[in-house]
Structure formats: structure tokens, C-alpha cells
Amino acid sequence: MACCLWRYRCRILLCLCTPCILFGCLFIYLALAVCLSMTYSIAPVGLPLLPPYFVAPGATNSGLLAPYPINSFWKYELNKEAHWNMIQQLIDRQHNPILQPRMGTSGNFSSLDNSSSDSIQQQKVGCFPNYEVIWTLSDYFSLPSQMQRFVISMHCRDYPLLIDQPRVCGNASQQHQMEAPMLLLAIKSQAPNFENRQAIRKTWGRSGLVKGKVGKGGQVRRVFLLAKNHSGHNLDTVKSLKEEGRKYGDILMWDFFDTFFNLTLKDVLFWDWFSKNCQDTRFVFKGDDDVFLRTPVLLDYLQKVEVEAHANTSGHSRPIEDFFVGDVITSAAPMRSQTTKYYIPDSFYNGMYPSYAGGGGVVYSGALVLRLLEVSKRVHLFPIDDVYLGMCLQRLGVVPIHHPAFLTFDFPNDEAKKPCAYQTILLVHKRTPKEIRKLWVKTKNPSYKCRKVALRSDQSEKEKKGT
Ligand SMILES: *[C@@H]1O[C@H](CO)[C@@H](O)[C@H](O)[C@H]1NC(C)=O
Ligand SMILES: *[C@@H]1O[C@H](CO)[C@@H](O)[C@H](O)[C@H]1NC(C)=O
Ligand SMILES: *[C@@H]1O[C@H](CO)[C@@H](O)[C@H](O)[C@H]1NC(C)=O
Ligand SMILES: *[C@@H]1O[C@H](CO)[C@@H](O)[C@H](O)[C@H]1NC(C)=O
Ligand SMILES: *[C@@H]1O[C@H](CO)[C@@H](O)[C@H](O)[C@H]1NC(C)=O
Ligand SMILES: *[C@@H]1O[C@H](CO)[C@@H](O)[C@H](O)[C@H]1NC(C)=O
């Protein structure tokens, strides 16, 4: 009897408790779901609502609407799978050139600079790591450490200059007395690469008046772009670099760690420095400290560009605002293999890269630098510097010009061994300081046979492929 009573109680207990437990579980599940959806909806705060389609203003005055598309023509959904795309989409939406025509793609950004919510949040008082991204990047903990370090510090770009050269391009307030330089060489270097810098100073990076091979040439200036050493003793490094800067007047050093994924900072901070110190310089070469550049031939080429631009604007000599030339790479996709240093995970970037020029060496106009600086305030930093430059150009509507004489991936096959090979190029990547010195002498005094050899052109490339 006692046994049956106990069983009976047990059953009642079971009947009562099971629903309770189930309800409890359901409640916890709902609470979790609500919480999760709330954390995801944090990002789009302040996101302007998009109309389903765009009707041109003015068309309504007549009482008739302009023809408009039936489907929406922008993406409502945020790309939540890829961190960079999502945060960039928020900024791009705020600067949608159709909804905000005064912001145009090529137009005047400076009028907006005041409203801080428009540009990427930059913390003026120090840069603190942003640990919140750990929760928005689904696989943060399985990413390589350089990627982890990048995402928690990518909002920050206000690093002070430790070593400055305010007089490289002449004294700004006296510039009318002195001709502005034609070309500024901005070379990415690292503290230990003293030999590379010496070779460049003695050869293709000489500052002063440089004659062209055929043309009159122009004034050339040089700066090296450096940052702090991650592992070394920086007190000594800064001291010796300061000394080097005093001696040669060409060292710029910023207060951030000189890692591969921080190279984009060198571009952005250089543009800022340029806008303050070298505004009137006509062209900028930006490249690595292991390239060989034929500066005199480059000056001839740039002179031709200026003459053409002058002719095209029917005699008005305005600065060239959209000149960008290099070894242009189109339809490249991010590398998805963890073993390369260029690895970009799916959770960070989604889609193809825009056209960009290989980072070994590119040339652009000084007027374009000022526009790049403005637009870069609306483009989130990207870990690969040449791709970032491509992203900025794309937003400015500037199409980079491909020049086959920029060999950022060296000569094809073993063409380098041909007798006049180096007479056909403007630039070649990956040369040691010793090779740079040798090549400089060799290309300055070419043999009689090589003297008249022309630069590589698309034409000559095609002919080679055809044969
Ligand atoms: C950009 O806008 C600012 C402020 O409205 C104005 O002073 C400046 O002249 C404009 N620049 C150009 C190139 O239109
Ligand atoms: C931004 O604009 C406000 C008024 O509109 C002005 O008081 C403030 O000084 C401006 N800030 C900057 C940095 O120009
Ligand atoms: C530039 O020239 C002005 C006037 O001669 C002078 O006062 C100023 O100190 C100079 N600046 C630099 C950085 O040399
Ligand atoms: C940092 O310093 C160490 C030792 O001082 C040196 O071996 C290394 O090459 C340096 N790295 C960079 C990027 O400057
Ligand atoms: C870039 O430099 C900053 C400042 O030194 C540092 O906090 C950050 O971790 C660096 N980023 C990478 C990817 O190394
Ligand atoms: C100038 O015009 C010519 C022909 O119209 C064109 O081939 C050339 O690319 C133009 N140059 C520039 C710098 O716009």
C-alpha cells in the first residue's frame, strides 16, 4: 500500500513538474534569443533609413513623378558575416551620394568634417583597444594573432610623430620664393634597414635638382617612413634614428608598431603630414626600400603627363587631381589560406578587391594626396596597404593607370638577363642595396646598343605574347 501511494505521488510530481521545467527552458531560450538579437542590433544605431527607391527632387513639382525603379536598388541588409564590410556599409550609407548629393564622390568632403559622426571615430586622447569586436567577429579567438591585433586597434590612427622633417619641401610660409618640388619620394623603411637607405640616398633617391634622361627634370625630395620596433629597444632606436634624421634630413617616424598589418597607417599618416608640409609638391612616389627606381626616366614621364594634362585642359594649368600610375592588379580576391601573411578571413572581409596597384612602388599627383586624405577618413583601415589605397581610389572615382614598366613582381621569366632589360623599366622590386648601386651605375651609363631602347609598353608586351 505504502509503495503504491509513493508511486502515485511520484506521478503527480512528474505531471506537475515537467511543464514547469519545459516552460522554464522556453523562457530561458526566449530570453537568450532576445538578448542576442539586441546585441546584433547595436551596430546600426544612427543608421539613416533608406527610402525604397530614389525619386529625383524637382520631378515632383510638375505633379508627375519621374520614372522610378520598381525594386529597391540598395542593400537594406547589413553584411553581418564580414566585419569590415558591415562597419564600412554603415559609413557608406551615411555618405550615399544619391541621398546626400552635396557629399558627391569627387566633391568637397571638407565641408562635412565638423560633424564628427560622419567620419570614423578617432579618439583624440590616446587609443584604447576596442575589445567589443571580440563579440561581433564570430571566430575572433581562432584568428592569427596579427589579425586579432589589427581588429582591436583598427579604429585608431592618431599616432604622433616622433621624428619630423618640417623643412623637406621648403618652408611653407616662404614657398612663393622657392619653386615647389616636382617629386617627393616617400619610402617605407624599417629601423634596421640602414644599408637600404644608404644605397637609396646615394643612387635613385638623391635629393636636389635631378635631370631627366632627355627632359629638364626637376627638384626631388626624399623621406623615409618609419615606425617603432615591436621587439627591439626603442629608446636606442629612436636615438640613432634621430641622429640619422639630423644628418640626412629624411627620417619620419611615428609612434606605432612597425608590423605588416600596420603599414596602412604609414600611408594615411604620410598623407596627413604631406598636406601640412608639402602641399604644393606636384608628384609623390611611394614605395618600398628594396626597389630600384629610374628617377630620371620617371621625371621625363611625369613631365609628359603634365604637358598632356595641360593640353587637355586647353591651356589652364590646374593641378592634376586624378593621376595615379603603377602596376595595376584587377579582379584580385582575398587570400583565404592561413599560411600566407596576406591571409584575410571570411569573417573580416567579403567580396573581391577593387583594382589596386602593387605596393612596391606607385606614383600619384600631389593634388590627389589631398583628396585621398579626405576620403580616407570615410574608409575603415584595411590590413593590406595597397588594397586600402585601391579602396580609397574607388570611392574617389579615380581609375589607376597601368604602366607595364613598373615591375613590382620582377621581370617575367629570365628577361632580366637580357642585355638592355633595365633600360625598359621604370621600377623593379626586390633588389639588395648592393644590386641597387650596381644597377644605378649600369643604367646611368648604358652601352651604345642600349641607349635608344624604349620603355616597356602594352604594345611590346602584346608583341612578345604574340610571338
Ligand atoms: C569645400 O567646402 C568648404 C566649406 O564649405 C569651402 O570653403 C571650400 O572652398 C570648398 N572647396 C572646394 C574645392 O570646393
Ligand atoms: C563645429 O561646428 C560648431 C557649430 O556648428 C562650432 O561651434 C565648432 O567650433 C565646430 N568645430 C570644429 C572642429 O570646426
Ligand atoms: C619659415 O619662415 C618664416 C618666415 O621667414 C619663419 O618665421 C619660420 O620660422 C620658418 N619656419 C620654419 C619651419 O623654418
Ligand atoms: C627590431 O629589433 C630587433 C633587435 O633589436 C631586430 O632584430 C629586428 O629586425 C627589428 N625589427 C624591426 C621591424 O625593426
Ligand atoms: C599597430 O600599432 C599599434 C600601436 O603601436 C598597436 O597597438 C597595434 O597592435 C599594431 N597593430 C598590429 C596589427 O600589429
Ligand atoms: C589627354 O587627351 C589624350 C587624347 O584625348 C588622352 O590620350 C590622354 O590620356 C589625356 N591625358 C590626360 C592626362 O588626361
Side-chain angles (χ1 to χ4, degrees), residues 146 149-150 153 159 228 230 255-257 259 261-262 265:
Q146 69 164 355
R149 267 183 282 131
F150 180 81
S153 63
Y159 296 102
K228 279 192 307 187
H230 209 357
D255 190 12
F256 63 84
F257 288 128
T259 59
F261 273 11
N262 262 348
L265 283 171

Side-chain angles (χ1 to χ4, degrees), residues 74-110:
W74 24 61
K75 239 173 147 178
Y76 280 101
E77 296 289 304
L78 283 180
N79 187 334
K80 280 181 187 146
E81 279 88 58
H83 183 69
W84 190 92
N85 300 64
M86 186 182 82
I87 57 180
Q88 187 58 38
Q89 220 176 331
L90 295 173
I91 290 216
D92 283 345
R93 195 171 284 189
Q94 274 163 358
H95 296 272
N96 182 321
I98 298 178
L99 297 175
Q100 332 264 354
R102 68 201 175 91
M103 294 185 194
T105 46
S106 58
N108 189 346
F109 290 115
S110 53

Side-chain angles (χ1 to χ4, degrees), residues 27 55-56 76 125 140 150 170 185 196 213 220 249 251 254 317-318 345 352 360 363 368 402 408 428 467:
F27 179 75
V55 181
Y76 280 101
V125 265
Y140 177 84
F150 180 81
L185 307 167
N196 297 54
K213 200 175 147 209
V220 175
I251 300 283
W254 283 276
S317 57
R318 280 184 310 146
M352 304 286 282
V363 178
L368 183 59
H402 177 71
T408 55
V428 64
T467 56

Side-chain angles (χ1 to χ4, degrees), residues 17 21 58 77 131 150 192 221 238 273 296 308 316 321 341 376 401-402 416 431 447 465:
C17 286
I21 290 169
E77 296 289 304
Y131 292 110
F150 180 81
R221 297 287 183 272
V238 175
W273 177 88
E308 262 176 32
H316 301 293
E321 293 202 325
K341 70 170 180 172
S376 71
I401 303 165
H402 177 71
R431 291 294 181 269
S447 66
K465 272 179 198 148

Side-chain angles (χ1 to χ4, degrees), residues 166-167 170-175 177 277:
R167 263 172 265 180
N171 183 338
S173 55
Q174 293 179 321
Q175 218 148 56
Q177 288 168 19
N277 297 284

Side-chain angles (χ1 to χ4, degrees), residues 182-184 281-285 302 306 320 323 364-366:
M182 175 164 183
L183 178 65
L184 174 66
T281 301
R282 275 131 68 204
F283 294 99
V284 169
F285 164 85
L302 293 177
E306 280 188 322
I320 316 168
F323 175 75
Y364 41 91
S365 64

Side-chain angles (χ1 to χ4, degrees), residues 100-271:
Q100 332 264 354
R102 68 201 175 91
M103 294 185 194
T105 46
S106 58
N108 189 346
F109 290 115
S110 53
S111 53
L112 288 155
D113 270 357
N114 196 349
S115 44
S116 62
S117 68
D118 280 336
S119 50
I120 291 159
Q121 291 282 315
Q122 291 191 47
Q123 286 160 346
K124 295 287 175 209
V125 265
C127 285
F128 300 103
N130 172 17
Y131 292 110
E132 270 171 43
V133 294
I134 297 177
W135 308 112
T136 54
L137 221 79
S138 52
D139 57 353
Y140 177 84
F141 290 103
S142 61
L143 296 178
S145 67
Q146 69 164 355
M147 197 69 223
Q148 292 182 341
R149 267 183 282 131
F150 180 81
V151 291
I152 60 174
S153 63
M154 65 182 281
H155 58 288
C156 182
R157 44 175 100 177
D158 263 2
Y159 296 102
L161 258 178
L162 296 175
I163 304 175
D164 194 4
Q165 305 295 339
R167 263 172 265 180
V168 166
C169 297
N171 183 338
S173 55
Q174 293 179 321
Q175 218 148 56
H176 54 278
Q177 288 168 19
M178 202 180 91
E179 197 201 344
M182 175 164 183
L183 178 65
L184 174 66
L185 307 167
I187 304 147
K188 290 182 179 173
S189 186
Q190 291 190 325
N193 298 1
F194 178 71
E195 276 307 310
N196 297 54
R197 292 194 289 278
Q198 274 309 76
I200 291 170
R201 285 177 185 126
K202 295 273 164 62
T203 59
W204 60 263
R206 250 189 48 220
S207 75
L209 182 66
V210 175
K211 282 219 171 66
K213 200 175 147 209
V214 290
K216 66 177 166 46
Q219 286 288 339
V220 175
R221 297 287 183 272
R222 172 193 68 232
V223 285
F224 290 103
L225 315 176
L226 290 106
K228 279 192 307 187
N229 186 331
H230 209 357
S231 50
H233 300 284
N234 275 302
L235 274 180
D236 292 348
T237 316
V238 175
K239 215 172 131 204
S240 75
L241 282 174
K242 265 199 177 138
E243 193 53 45
E244 193 181 330
R246 249 197 301 278
K247 194 159 172 200
Y248 301 103
D250 57 8
I251 300 283
L252 291 179
M253 185 192 196
W254 283 276
D255 190 12
F256 63 84
F257 288 128
D258 206 342
T259 59
F260 179 60
F261 273 11
N262 262 348
L263 282 182
T264 314
L265 283 171
K266 285 193 184 173
D267 286 273
V268 177
L269 291 168
F270 166 70
W271 295 337

